Amino acid sequence: MISWLLAVAALGLFYPYLLYPVLLGVAARLLARPYTATDELPTVAILVSAFNEEKRILEKITNFDALDYPPECIEMWIGTDGSLDRTADIIKEANHPRVHLVERLQRSGKTAVLNDLVRRTRADVLIFTDATGHFRLDAVRLLVQPLTDPDVGLVSGRALISKGAGNVATEGAYYRMDSWMKNKEGACGWLAGALGPIYALRASLYRDLPPEFINDLAHPCEVVAAGFQARFEPRAVSEEPAGDHAGREFDRQTRIAAQASYLLSQEMGPLLRNRRWGMLWALISHKWMRWLAGIWIPLGWIALAGLSPTLAIAALALLGVVVLGWRSGAAWAELPMFFIIVHCAYLNGLWRALSGDRYLVWKPRAG
């Protein structure tokens, strides 16, 4: 029984990070669905929900103004979610003719703000981002190009995580692997979550979301359930700062897992009814199995202790070395420590979701 427990724990831990990518690579070769793009340039609305972003909002407007897209076809809508600083004043002072402010005095959460912004725009394509992300100048053109194919409903770009001075900067390596998997999923028309800082949605597919839903996961599920493709365009890039504090990163990953696990429990039904088997497999493998991977670490250690106490002690000693190395600033310890942080956060998030915490509001990354 102990040997079986160790085997199951190893499979549960390695499946989302080793076996699933291998199977996904095979699936992408066999099931890739090309799209046919045209040179059409649809009208675009860039949507930003901002909370206390006075330090970054002007830079975001400047970045928007420099984008390589016809000015008459693109606008920006910024909703301030009960900001307590000068975010709204800075937007007003910028006085940009294509930047529209919706000032909300009561904090109601990002999703409620986005629902409000979408009702106000008449654009063909909605691009979701945040105040932190800095778009490369060709990002919008690259995002909307696949949407000229009527079978494509959503396109996610790629977030590049900068190597800041923060102690969770190694998340860049973690997200590079995640981007690779999204690229393969997108080739098949599925996508187990868009990148919140940069993704585009066909406006006709937008439906108001419940305030507890996280939009960048809800939209790919809804698009695929409706029979459209959800694609990934790695050339469309938003540059993001790394998380600046391990405790804040733990809180952020906890919130993501709590929101996403609750949302997926609601979205599985439509995907099952519409027989979207590929999307279901991607969501279970890329999301559920990863969130649960952390539970196999202590169970595997218990099984290892039953088989070989010496190896179990060595594993604990190795963990201690990683923690000490990370606390002393050793570069080699950043990636394994980030792995530990996010998996503890995933388990905490699942527990919080079961406890009824819906995270309607939260602090932005590094904000």
Side-chain angles (χ1 to χ4, degrees):
M1 289 296 294
I2 293 177
S3 299
W4 275 106
L5 177 60
L6 183 60
V8 170
L11 179 62
L13 183 60
F14 291 117
Y15 173 80
Y17 293 104
L18 294 178
L19 185 55
Y20 173 61
V22 171
L23 296 175
L24 182 60
V26 174
R29 284 182 173 272
L30 298 177
L31 304 175
R33 302 167 65 185
Y35 63 85
T36 304
T38 70
D39 294 329
E40 177 187 357
L41 292 175
T43 56
V44 170
I46 296 181
L47 309 179
V48 182
S49 175
F51 173 69
N52 288 355
E53 296 287 4
E54 63 179 9
K55 296 180 180 179
R56 291 184 285 239
I57 201 64
L58 185 58
E59 183 180 350
K60 187 70 176 180
I61 294 172
T62 303
N63 177 228
F64 160 75
D65 204 36
L67 294 173
D68 178 23
Y69 205 79
E72 67 274 11
C73 295
I74 188 169
E75 60 184 4
M76 175 181 276
W77 288 82
I78 304 174
T80 56
D81 186 22
S83 292
L84 303 175
D85 62 1
R86 297 190 66 252
T87 301
D89 294 333
I90 292 171
I91 298 169
K92 294 172 185 176
E93 291 166 5
N95 195 29
H96 195 294
R98 292 181 288 116
V99 176
H100 310 289
L101 169 65
V102 178
E103 191 172 2
R104 296 168 62 97
L105 301 180
Q106 296 294 325
R107 193 159 191 215
S108 52
K110 178 181 180 181
T111 303
V113 172
L114 294 177
N115 286 337
D116 191 7
L117 296 181
V118 173
R119 296 187 201 108
R120 298 169 186 264
T121 179
R122 296 295 179 265
D124 301 316
V125 173
L126 309 172
I127 293 182
F128 298 86
T129 183
D130 52 39
T132 307
H134 186 276
F135 282 13
R136 290 187 179 172
L137 301 188
D138 59 354
V140 172
R141 283 183 179 267
L142 293 169
L143 277 179
V144 303
Q145 188 179 42
L147 289 169
T148 60
D149 185 323
D151 291 332
V152 178
L154 179 145
V155 181
S156 177
R158 180 166 59 110
L160 282 184
I161 308 298
S162 62
K163 174 71 174 179
N167 51 10
V168 289
T170 315
E171 65 184 30
Y174 188 83
Y175 289 128
R176 282 194 294 273
M177 181 188 70
D178 198 65
S179 292
W180 182 89
M181 290 193 288
K182 287 183 183 297
N183 194 27
K184 300 302 180 183
E185 292 166 354
C188 301
W190 330 311
L191 202 58
L195 270 296
I198 179 167
Y199 76 94
L201 175 71
R202 191 180 298 277
S204 60
L205 298 179
Y206 190 92
R207 303 292 181 270
D208 276 6
L209 296 174
E212 65 271 18
F213 275 21
I214 184 170
N215 59 291
D216 49 12
L217 181 56
H219 286 147
C221 293
E222 294 183 351
V223 162
V224 174
F228 293 85
Q229 297 179 36
R231 311 287 306 199
F232 184 71
E233 176 47 79
R235 297 174 300 165
V237 172
S238 173
E239 296 177 356
E240 298 281 309
D244 62 346
H245 186 274
R248 180 169 291 172
E249 187 63 18
F250 179 86
D251 291 342
R252 190 174 76 90
Q253 295 292 344
T254 293
R255 185 263 302 171
I256 290 172
Q259 282 190 299
S261 57
Y262 171 73
L263 184 151
L264 289 185
S265 70
Q266 308 299 307
E267 295 286 357
M268 287 294 188
L271 290 168
L272 280 168
R273 288 193 295 273
N274 292 289
R275 301 179 182 180
R276 309 302 182 203
W277 308 122
M279 183 66 166
L280 286 164
W281 174 57
L283 289 170
I284 291 169
S285 301
H286 196 154
K287 298 297 183 181
W288 287 113
M289 295 297 289
R290 184 181 293 188
W291 297 333
L292 291 171
I295 202 170
W296 298 115
I297 297 174
L299 290 178
W301 183 85
I302 291 171
L304 185 64
L307 292 173
S308 173
T310 301
L311 287 178
I313 292 172
L316 275 182
L318 180 60
L319 175 61
V321 170
V322 168
V323 173
L324 289 174
W326 172 69
R327 291 179 66 87
S328 65
W332 59 265
E334 289 182 348
L335 185 57
M337 196 63 201
F338 183 76
F339 184 87
I340 293 168
I341 289 171
V342 296
H343 281 84
C344 290
Y346 290 159
L347 292 180
N348 188 43
L350 291 174
W351 174 252
R352 298 293 291 270
L354 290 172
S355 302
D357 198 334
R358 298 293 176 253
Y359 284 91
L360 299 185
V361 298
W362 63 87
K363 293 181 180 179
R365 177 202 291 271

